[in-house]
Amino acid sequence: MPVLLYYPLVKPPTEVLHQALLYWDGIATVVPRARRVYEFAVSPELRELRDRSLYTPLPFDRRSVEMLDHPDLGTAHSGSLASQALRQELFRLLGSPGSELTWPPDTFLYGSKLSHWLEEELLSLGLAERYDSEYWSLAVPRQVQQLIIGVLARELAAVHRVMDTGQPVSYVPYTDHPDAYAASLHAASERRLPAYQADLGGLLPVPAPGTPTAEVLAFRDRYPDERERLMRALHRLLGDLRRDYEHPADVLAQLRSEVERSVEDYRAAARSSRMAWVERSVTVTVALAAAAGSVVQPGLTWVLGAVGGYALNVATREIRPLSRARKEHDFSHLHRVRETLA
């Protein structure tokens, strides 16, 4: 299973952390590269999870700088397309509601998360001010913070990496900030691709607020087969939707029994635990592998049928992909706080 890459903050909310521990191989966040700032930004809980190989800090290192290098270096450079797209989006923000700096500021950027050209660009556009702090270097509007980290997270997710064990790892962008979610999907070239959007939250219950992380880890260790079967089934469903985009209803029909069995087994495990469970809405955007404009129409919605007692709705939309497209999958998740008792 891939690792959940949470953005735009270093420390994810507890409910997002618990979902990562239950349904993915762990969680990752983008962190400042300066050691002293890293120690301030990363919580003791995340450091403990890193010791268990369940948390991966992704620093804005040399590879990250190349992804968002100066846009005037030309398309031969690895990061020029992403940086050009980011620059375009920054210009679009100028004068828009929510793009003004407030004082005292409530949103900051760690200096060691930025390349030099990007810091200077933000200052010259008036989208940032230097901030005299032991840890932060720039005060920025919330929209700017979400745009920059959202784009960086999506670019990092598109890079193939290898774990310390030598095993390949892939990352799935995941956020609970709708503006950051939208920015990460739209900050790109003018080329547009169709995408499916599905809400899978009803199939992925999480522990109720206040549940200790230690109990979540104990459940993860006790029921590894049930949770892995559920995630394999759902990732196969999303992958098949991406490839067989012309027949979404057929995809669900072929995989319904597999998904329903895995959902039933997982819910039985959840009922046997002493934890209270809730449902969180999780919207997944699936960029289609290739599709003509006539295949899917933006705004068209399919109700693909009931899975595990829930209606699975898939709507189409358009996105502008960033400079790197994933061949095996291209998923992006939005976590919403709607909840009901499971």
Side-chain angles (χ1 to χ4, degrees), residues 136-217:
W136 297 296
S137 65
L138 294 180
V140 296
R142 190 173 303 276
Q143 286 189 17
V144 172
Q145 178 218 39
Q146 294 178 347
L147 170 65
I148 292 173
I149 305 302
V151 169
L152 177 58
R154 192 162 173 81
E155 287 291 275
L156 286 171
V159 175
H160 294 278
R161 292 175 178 262
V162 178
M163 301 176 67
D164 294 339
T165 60
Q167 297 296 318
V169 59
S170 60
Y171 295 100
V172 174
Y174 193 110
T175 186
D176 57 341
H177 291 63
D179 291 341
Y181 181 72
S184 71
L185 293 174
H186 289 95
S189 66
E190 295 304 316
R191 185 170 65 98
R192 294 176 180 269
L193 289 178
Y196 285 148
Q197 197 168 62
D199 189 340
L200 301 180
L203 305 178
L204 305 173
V206 292
T211 303
T213 299
E215 293 187 16
V216 178
L217 291 170

Side-chain angles (χ1 to χ4, degrees), residues 26 82 84 92 123 159 206 211 218 232 264:
Q84 289 171 14
R92 288 193 182 100
L123 291 169
V159 175
V206 292
T211 303
R232 278 199 302 267
E264 182 179 352

Side-chain angles (χ1 to χ4, degrees), residues 12 38 73 85 134 149 155 163 180 187 203 261 265 279 329 339:
Y38 168 85
L73 291 178
E134 186 177 0
I149 305 302
E155 287 291 275
M163 301 176 67
L203 305 178
R261 284 196 304 271
D265 291 345
E279 295 165 10
H329 72 75
E339 63 182 46

Side-chain angles (χ1 to χ4, degrees), residues 87-293:
R87 197 182 204 184
Q88 291 171 7
E89 293 299 311
L90 290 173
F91 275 104
R92 288 193 182 100
L93 282 180
L94 291 175
S96 64
S99 64
E100 302 85 4
L101 278 163
T102 60
W103 206 265
D106 60 354
T107 313
F108 305 90
L109 284 172
Y110 295 108
S112 57
K113 271 190 177 183
L114 302 179
S115 56
H116 178 70
W117 83 263
L118 183 53
E119 183 172 336
E120 293 301 317
E121 187 84 359
L122 291 172
L123 291 169
S124 66
L125 291 174
L127 292 174
E129 289 186 9
R130 297 199 182 278
Y131 188 77
D132 186 15
S133 166
E134 186 177 0
Y135 302 107
W136 297 296
S137 65
L138 294 180
V140 296
R142 190 173 303 276
Q143 286 189 17
V144 172
Q145 178 218 39
Q146 294 178 347
L147 170 65
I148 292 173
I149 305 302
V151 169
L152 177 58
R154 192 162 173 81
E155 287 291 275
L156 286 171
V159 175
H160 294 278
R161 292 175 178 262
V162 178
M163 301 176 67
D164 294 339
T165 60
Q167 297 296 318
V169 59
S170 60
Y171 295 100
V172 174
Y174 193 110
T175 186
D176 57 341
H177 291 63
D179 291 341
Y181 181 72
S184 71
L185 293 174
H186 289 95
S189 66
E190 295 304 316
R191 185 170 65 98
R192 294 176 180 269
L193 289 178
Y196 285 148
Q197 197 168 62
D199 189 340
L200 301 180
L203 305 178
L204 305 173
V206 292
T211 303
T213 299
E215 293 187 16
V216 178
L217 291 170
F219 180 89
R220 172 191 170 98
D221 293 340
R222 185 176 181 183
Y223 298 103
D225 295 339
E226 286 82 356
R227 68 179 193 84
E228 288 179 10
R229 278 199 301 269
L230 176 57
M231 286 313 299
R232 278 199 302 267
L234 291 181
H235 277 282
R236 183 181 173 191
L237 173 64
L238 296 175
D240 285 3
L241 277 175
R242 181 171 189 251
R243 290 184 294 270
D244 196 8
Y245 46 81
E246 292 183 289
H247 307 287
D250 291 345
V251 169
L252 184 68
Q254 293 169 5
L255 297 178
R256 180 182 287 116
S257 61
E258 178 183 348
V259 174
E260 287 185 339
R261 284 196 304 271
S262 62
V263 168
E264 182 179 352
D265 291 345
Y266 190 86
R267 288 187 174 272
R271 287 193 298 270
S272 69
S273 71
R274 296 182 178 180
M275 294 188 295
W277 296 77
V278 298
E279 295 165 10
R280 305 279 188 182
S281 178
V282 179
T283 300
V284 185
T285 295
V286 183
L288 305 189

